């Protein structure tokens, strides 16, 4: 990652996808990746710039399916658009092992993965539309890398900021990352004050009303 990548990633330290999602709503941005689920109940939050990959149906003869990974930098999140296909995979155990060795932050797939025991055993962060064992070799091929793709109905440009955890995946447009992070922190601060007030005996309704909870995510 370059200096700006590191700066943008650091902005999201201590935040999670619910807070970032609320901030996106507040700012009128769409970034919640519908149908993309975590492989496990991860305790950590994955944050990193998107390395985007676009798959298409295989040509004749078919092209390659995974060589792009040599270009991915440590700390990046691999974001793969396989057009939501669930009949063949684009990620397996060798990719998981190699990504872990290279320090890649995680993988997001609009499609399916396989060899999930390797990812689970290595605690490698994986987010996808499901799991299936059939190979993508000879069925799909890489069309482009570092181009704009779609993940769960969300547009993802190369180097957008990916935030992913046990709740799912949010894509933050790179040019709005500072604004989104600042808004998420304000929301988290108010929610923290609500938690403090109910621990001191206030009812939830009283605390929410006092701190404007129901308007936290409302677009201004």
């Amino acid at each position: 990652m370059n200096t700006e990548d590191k700066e943008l990633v650091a902005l999201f330290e201590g935040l999670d996808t619910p807070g970032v999602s609320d901030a996106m709503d507040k700012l009128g941005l769409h970034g919640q990746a519908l149908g993309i689920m975590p492989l496990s109940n991860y305790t950590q939050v994955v944050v990193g710039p998107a390395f985007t990959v676009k798959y298409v149906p295989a040509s004749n003869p078919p092209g390659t399916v995974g060589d792009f990974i040599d270009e991915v930098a440590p700390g990046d999140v691999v974001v793969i658009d396989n057009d939501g296909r669930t009949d063949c995979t684009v990620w397996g155990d060798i990719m998981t092992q190699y990504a872990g060795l290279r320090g890649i932050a995680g993988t997001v797939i609009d499609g399916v993965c396989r060899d999930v025991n390797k990812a689970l055993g290595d605690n490698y962060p994986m987010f996808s539309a499901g799991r299936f064992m059939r190979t993508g070799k000879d069925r799909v091929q890489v069309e482009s890398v570092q181009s704009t793709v779609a993940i769960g109905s969300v547009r993802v440009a190369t180097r957008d900021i990916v935030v992913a955890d046990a709740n799912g995946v949010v894509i933050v447009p790179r040019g709005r990352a500072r604004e989104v992070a600042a808004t998420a922190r304000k929301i988290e601060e108010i929610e923290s004050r609500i938690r403090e007030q109910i621990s001191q005996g206030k009812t939830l309704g009283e605390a929410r009303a006092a701190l404007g909870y129901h308007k936290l995510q409302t677009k201004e």
Side-chain angles (χ1 to χ4, degrees):
M1 290 192 292
N2 60 33
T3 301
E4 185 181 47
D5 286 335
K6 293 177 182 177
E7 177 189 350
L8 294 179
V9 167
L11 293 175
F12 292 87
E13 183 176 353
L15 297 175
D16 58 15
T17 60
V20 173
S21 174
D22 287 354
M24 298 277 283
D25 284 346
K26 187 80 170 177
L27 297 169
L29 301 172
H30 173 56
Q32 301 89 345
L34 182 65
I36 308 301
M37 303 296 292
L39 188 62
S40 180
N41 289 324
Y42 303 116
T43 57
Q44 76 271 36
V45 180
V46 175
V47 183
F51 183 101
T52 58
V53 183
K54 173 62 178 174
Y55 274 85
V56 294
S59 58
N60 188 18
T64 63
V65 295
D67 293 347
F68 66 83
I69 200 168
D70 290 325
E71 304 173 36
V72 184
D76 285 0
V77 178
V78 178
V79 177
I80 300 175
D81 178 359
N82 194 28
D83 198 30
R85 287 185 65 163
T86 57
D87 65 324
C88 64
T89 186
V90 290
W91 191 279
D93 57 349
I94 295 175
M95 297 282 281
T96 295
Q97 179 180 351
Y98 194 55
L101 291 171
R102 289 179 62 84
I104 294 170
T107 299
V108 176
I109 307 171
D110 194 359
V112 293
C113 59
R114 72 175 187 177
D115 301 316
V116 297
N117 284 343
K118 176 64 174 173
L120 292 169
D122 290 358
N123 198 33
Y124 179 78
M126 181 77 67
F127 304 83
S128 72
R131 57 184 85 179
F132 195 56
M133 83 300 297
R134 191 163 74 165
T135 182
K137 288 183 287 185
D138 300 331
R139 295 186 172 93
V140 292
Q141 65 187 46
V142 173
E143 179 182 63
S144 63
V145 298
Q146 300 293 53
S147 60
T148 299
V149 300
I151 299 291
S153 78
V154 174
R155 179 184 184 275
V156 187
T158 181
R159 314 315 286 170
D160 280 349
I161 303 302
V162 181
V163 184
D165 60 19
N167 302 286
V169 178
V170 180
I171 307 296
V172 180
R174 187 178 181 89
R176 305 291 296 275
R178 292 177 176 84
E179 187 180 6
V180 171
T183 302
R185 290 197 182 281
K186 290 178 183 177
I187 291 172
E188 174 54 35
E189 179 183 353
I190 292 172
E191 291 189 343
S192 179
R193 289 167 62 191
I194 290 172
R195 288 189 287 269
E196 180 180 357
Q197 287 193 10
I198 62 175
S199 70
Q200 294 173 350
K202 280 196 173 182
T203 68
L204 183 58
E206 289 171 339
R208 283 177 166 179
L211 293 165
Y213 171 81
H214 293 292
K215 295 287 187 180
L216 288 182
Q217 80 296 331
T218 303
K219 184 180 176 182
E220 295 179 342

